[in-house]
Amino acid sequence: MTKILIIDDDVELAGLFKDYLEQDGFAVDVTHQGESGRRLALSGDYQLVILDIMLPDIKGTEVLMRIRMESRIPVLMFTARGDDVDRIIGLESGADDYVPKPCTPRELAARIRAILRRTQSVSDAVGNGPIVAGPLKIWSEKRKASWFDQDMDLTSTEFNLLETLAMNVGRIVTKNELSEKALGRPLARFDRSIDVHMSSIRQKLGCQNDGRSYIQTVRGQGYQLVKE
């Protein structure tokens, strides 16, 4: 049974989500403090964390950054509805995706399942061998990537995005296709999640000798991993 940790100081709402998700087949624990949530998230007992951006003892983004120092566990953040700043800060801090509050338990469960599906092996077609795109190698089953033979430190969503680009190296991949395959949901209007994740991946890849990024933005179309 998949174990989920909810870190949220809204006792009533967290209890509602816990009850719904348990009825939906998940095992759920709840904590209302950021520091205790951080410790539990790093315990190795959970497959996914739901983290509120506003907590009484410490900011949710700070909790997330501390988690990311030690773990790649998928993190879904609660953000204020309509607050783009919260969403971007959460994504830049290492969140895999976000859900604006208030949201329905059904929507939350759907987001969880989408993230969990993408953390599992996604391509039987490549077998046990790596996907190779120039200096980039990706082992889908192991959820491992290397760049110039150095292991990459990627969040779950960053891995999904880079994997999708590598499987389509040299071809433009639309933002909607990336959202569907990496986040498990259609791209929403004005949603900048893909752009923020791509910015983080670019920083980790660095630049080519001529100063250009290995991931090119094709305005109005999408992104392209260039061939070496």
Side-chain angles (χ1 to χ4, degrees), residues 5 7 15 42-43 45 67-68 89 93 101 103 119 170 181 200 206-207 209 224 227:
L5 174 66
I7 309 173
L42 295 174
S43 68
D45 293 336
I67 291 173
R68 282 289 172 256
I89 290 175
S93 300
K101 291 173 72 174
C103 70
T119 59
K181 293 183 176 180
S200 177
C207 295
N209 292 332
Q224 178 184 24
K227 289 184 177 180

mmCIF file of all heavy atoms in Angstrom, residues 5 7 15 42-43 45 67-68 89 93 101 103 119 170 181 200 206-207 209 224 227:
data_model
loop_
_atom_site.group_PDB
_atom_site.id
_atom_site.type_symbol
_atom_site.label_atom_id
_atom_site.label_comp_id
_atom_site.label_asym_id
_atom_site.label_seq_id
_atom_site.Cartn_x
_atom_site.Cartn_y
_atom_site.Cartn_z
ATOM 1 N N LEU A 5 2.431 11.157 3.192
ATOM 2 C CA LEU A 5 2.541 12.037 4.351
ATOM 3 C C LEU A 5 1.949 13.400 4.000
ATOM 4 O O LEU A 5 2.332 14.000 2.998
ATOM 5 C CB LEU A 5 4.003 12.206 4.767
ATOM 6 C CG LEU A 5 4.278 13.214 5.888
ATOM 7 C CD1 LEU A 5 3.661 12.741 7.197
ATOM 8 C CD2 LEU A 5 5.775 13.461 6.032
ATOM 9 N N ILE A 7 1.619 17.242 5.322
ATOM 10 C CA ILE A 7 2.150 18.242 6.259
ATOM 11 C C ILE A 7 1.318 19.503 6.079
ATOM 12 O O ILE A 7 1.508 20.253 5.122
ATOM 13 C CB ILE A 7 3.642 18.529 5.995
ATOM 14 C CG1 ILE A 7 4.448 17.230 5.930
ATOM 15 C CG2 ILE A 7 4.200 19.463 7.063
ATOM 16 C CD1 ILE A 7 5.896 17.418 5.497
ATOM 17 N N GLY A 15 -7.563 16.308 7.808
ATOM 18 C CA GLY A 15 -8.339 15.131 8.189
ATOM 19 C C GLY A 15 -9.280 14.692 7.083
ATOM 20 O O GLY A 15 -9.461 13.487 6.848
ATOM 21 N N LEU A 42 11.856 12.251 5.616
ATOM 22 C CA LEU A 42 13.182 11.673 5.392
ATOM 23 C C LEU A 42 13.347 10.298 6.031
ATOM 24 O O LEU A 42 14.432 9.719 5.984
ATOM 25 C CB LEU A 42 14.255 12.623 5.928
ATOM 26 C CG LEU A 42 14.361 13.977 5.212
ATOM 27 C CD1 LEU A 42 15.356 14.881 5.942
ATOM 28 C CD2 LEU A 42 14.770 13.788 3.762
ATOM 29 N N SER A 43 12.278 9.784 6.606
ATOM 30 C CA SER A 43 12.356 8.491 7.306
ATOM 31 C C SER A 43 12.442 7.306 6.356
ATOM 32 O O SER A 43 12.826 6.206 6.763
ATOM 33 C CB SER A 43 11.136 8.317 8.217
ATOM 34 O OG SER A 43 9.941 8.174 7.444
ATOM 35 N N ASP A 45 9.778 6.038 4.966
ATOM 36 C CA ASP A 45 8.524 5.283 5.101
ATOM 37 C C ASP A 45 7.452 5.691 4.096
ATOM 38 O O ASP A 45 6.415 5.039 4.022
ATOM 39 C CB ASP A 45 7.951 5.468 6.512
ATOM 40 C CG ASP A 45 8.820 4.831 7.583
ATOM 41 O OD1 ASP A 45 9.565 3.891 7.242
ATOM 42 O OD2 ASP A 45 8.761 5.282 8.741
ATOM 43 N N ILE A 67 14.268 19.044 2.828
ATOM 44 C CA ILE A 67 14.018 17.681 2.338
ATOM 45 C C ILE A 67 14.885 17.398 1.119
ATOM 46 O O ILE A 67 15.507 16.342 0.997
ATOM 47 C CB ILE A 67 12.525 17.488 1.997
ATOM 48 C CG1 ILE A 67 11.676 17.494 3.276
ATOM 49 C CG2 ILE A 67 12.313 16.185 1.218
ATOM 50 C CD1 ILE A 67 10.179 17.479 3.016
ATOM 51 N N ARG A 68 14.938 18.383 0.203
ATOM 52 C CA ARG A 68 15.672 18.197 -1.047
ATOM 53 C C ARG A 68 17.177 18.063 -0.833
ATOM 54 O O ARG A 68 17.886 17.558 -1.702
ATOM 55 C CB ARG A 68 15.375 19.349 -2.002
ATOM 56 C CG ARG A 68 14.033 19.224 -2.702
ATOM 57 C CD ARG A 68 14.074 18.089 -3.725
ATOM 58 N NE ARG A 68 12.756 17.809 -4.295
ATOM 59 C CZ ARG A 68 12.003 16.777 -3.963
ATOM 60 N NH1 ARG A 68 12.435 15.903 -3.060
ATOM 61 N NH2 ARG A 68 10.832 16.585 -4.533
ATOM 62 N N ILE A 89 7.735 29.826 -6.465
ATOM 63 C CA ILE A 89 8.686 29.598 -5.371
ATOM 64 C C ILE A 89 8.700 28.122 -4.987
ATOM 65 O O ILE A 89 9.759 27.534 -4.760
ATOM 66 C CB ILE A 89 8.332 30.472 -4.155
ATOM 67 C CG1 ILE A 89 8.608 31.946 -4.465
ATOM 68 C CG2 ILE A 89 9.144 30.045 -2.929
ATOM 69 C CD1 ILE A 89 8.178 32.894 -3.373
ATOM 70 N N SER A 93 11.869 25.603 -5.453
ATOM 71 C CA SER A 93 12.427 24.982 -4.247
ATOM 72 C C SER A 93 12.519 23.473 -4.369
ATOM 73 O O SER A 93 13.098 22.814 -3.504
ATOM 74 C CB SER A 93 11.571 25.346 -3.019
ATOM 75 O OG SER A 93 11.545 26.737 -2.822
ATOM 76 N N LYS A 101 -5.152 25.603 -3.219
ATOM 77 C CA LYS A 101 -6.205 25.427 -2.207
ATOM 78 C C LYS A 101 -7.232 26.539 -2.361
ATOM 79 O O LYS A 101 -6.869 27.680 -2.635
ATOM 80 C CB LYS A 101 -5.598 25.477 -0.802
ATOM 81 C CG LYS A 101 -4.714 24.280 -0.470
ATOM 82 C CD LYS A 101 -4.017 24.453 0.852
ATOM 83 C CE LYS A 101 -4.959 24.331 2.034
ATOM 84 N NZ LYS A 101 -4.227 24.360 3.329
ATOM 85 N N CYS A 103 -9.007 22.735 -2.886
ATOM 86 C CA CYS A 103 -9.183 21.784 -3.983
ATOM 87 C C CYS A 103 -10.037 20.632 -3.476
ATOM 88 O O CYS A 103 -10.210 20.446 -2.270
ATOM 89 C CB CYS A 103 -7.839 21.266 -4.485
ATOM 90 S SG CYS A 103 -6.979 20.180 -3.332
ATOM 91 N N THR A 119 6.704 8.107 -11.502
ATOM 92 C CA THR A 119 7.908 7.704 -10.774
ATOM 93 C C THR A 119 8.232 6.233 -11.001
ATOM 94 O O THR A 119 9.274 5.753 -10.565
ATOM 95 C CB THR A 119 7.752 7.940 -9.258
ATOM 96 O OG1 THR A 119 6.643 7.202 -8.764
ATOM 97 C CG2 THR A 119 7.567 9.410 -8.960
ATOM 98 N N GLY A 170 16.535 16.230 -30.538
ATOM 99 C CA GLY A 170 16.541 16.844 -31.855
ATOM 100 C C GLY A 170 15.177 17.244 -32.363
ATOM 101 O O GLY A 170 15.068 17.916 -33.391
ATOM 102 N N LYS A 181 3.188 14.065 -20.122
ATOM 103 C CA LYS A 181 4.094 12.955 -19.853
ATOM 104 C C LYS A 181 4.866 13.113 -18.547
ATOM 105 O O LYS A 181 5.183 12.127 -17.893
ATOM 106 C CB LYS A 181 5.071 12.788 -21.022
ATOM 107 C CG LYS A 181 4.377 12.328 -22.302
ATOM 108 C CD LYS A 181 5.367 12.086 -23.425
ATOM 109 C CE LYS A 181 4.658 11.530 -24.654
ATOM 110 N NZ LYS A 181 5.594 11.272 -25.762
ATOM 111 N N SER A 200 15.499 24.996 -14.058
ATOM 112 C CA SER A 200 16.330 24.247 -13.114
ATOM 113 C C SER A 200 17.189 23.208 -13.832
ATOM 114 O O SER A 200 18.377 23.046 -13.534
ATOM 115 C CB SER A 200 15.435 23.561 -12.070
ATOM 116 O OG SER A 200 16.213 22.769 -11.192
ATOM 117 N N GLY A 206 24.253 23.066 -17.560
ATOM 118 C CA GLY A 206 25.247 24.049 -17.957
ATOM 119 C C GLY A 206 25.074 24.444 -19.420
ATOM 120 O O GLY A 206 24.053 24.143 -20.052
ATOM 121 N N CYS A 207 26.082 25.075 -19.966
ATOM 122 C CA CYS A 207 26.011 25.580 -21.343
ATOM 123 C C CYS A 207 27.012 24.870 -22.249
ATOM 124 O O CYS A 207 28.008 24.307 -21.787
ATOM 125 C CB CYS A 207 26.277 27.085 -21.378
ATOM 126 S SG CYS A 207 25.039 28.077 -20.531
ATOM 127 N N ASN A 209 29.877 24.988 -25.405
ATOM 128 C CA ASN A 209 31.083 25.802 -25.531
ATOM 129 C C ASN A 209 30.803 27.191 -26.092
ATOM 130 O O ASN A 209 31.518 28.149 -25.779
ATOM 131 C CB ASN A 209 32.114 25.087 -26.417
ATOM 132 C CG ASN A 209 32.675 23.832 -25.759
ATOM 133 O OD1 ASN A 209 32.727 23.748 -24.539
ATOM 134 N ND2 ASN A 209 33.088 22.869 -26.562
ATOM 135 N N GLN A 224 13.403 21.798 -27.024
ATOM 136 C CA GLN A 224 14.154 20.821 -27.827
ATOM 137 C C GLN A 224 15.505 20.574 -27.190
ATOM 138 O O GLN A 224 16.255 21.502 -26.871
ATOM 139 C CB GLN A 224 14.357 21.357 -29.249
ATOM 140 C CG GLN A 224 15.167 20.442 -30.148
ATOM 141 C CD GLN A 224 15.412 21.065 -31.510
ATOM 142 O OE1 GLN A 224 15.374 22.297 -31.653
ATOM 143 N NE2 GLN A 224 15.626 20.257 -32.511
ATOM 144 N N LYS A 227 21.003 18.012 -30.400
ATOM 145 C CA LYS A 227 21.905 16.902 -30.648
ATOM 146 C C LYS A 227 23.340 17.384 -30.557
ATOM 147 O O LYS A 227 23.665 18.487 -30.959
ATOM 148 C CB LYS A 227 21.651 16.318 -32.041
ATOM 149 C CG LYS A 227 20.345 15.564 -32.190
ATOM 150 C CD LYS A 227 20.243 14.955 -33.571
ATOM 151 C CE LYS A 227 18.973 14.131 -33.718
ATOM 152 N NZ LYS A 227 18.855 13.533 -35.075
#
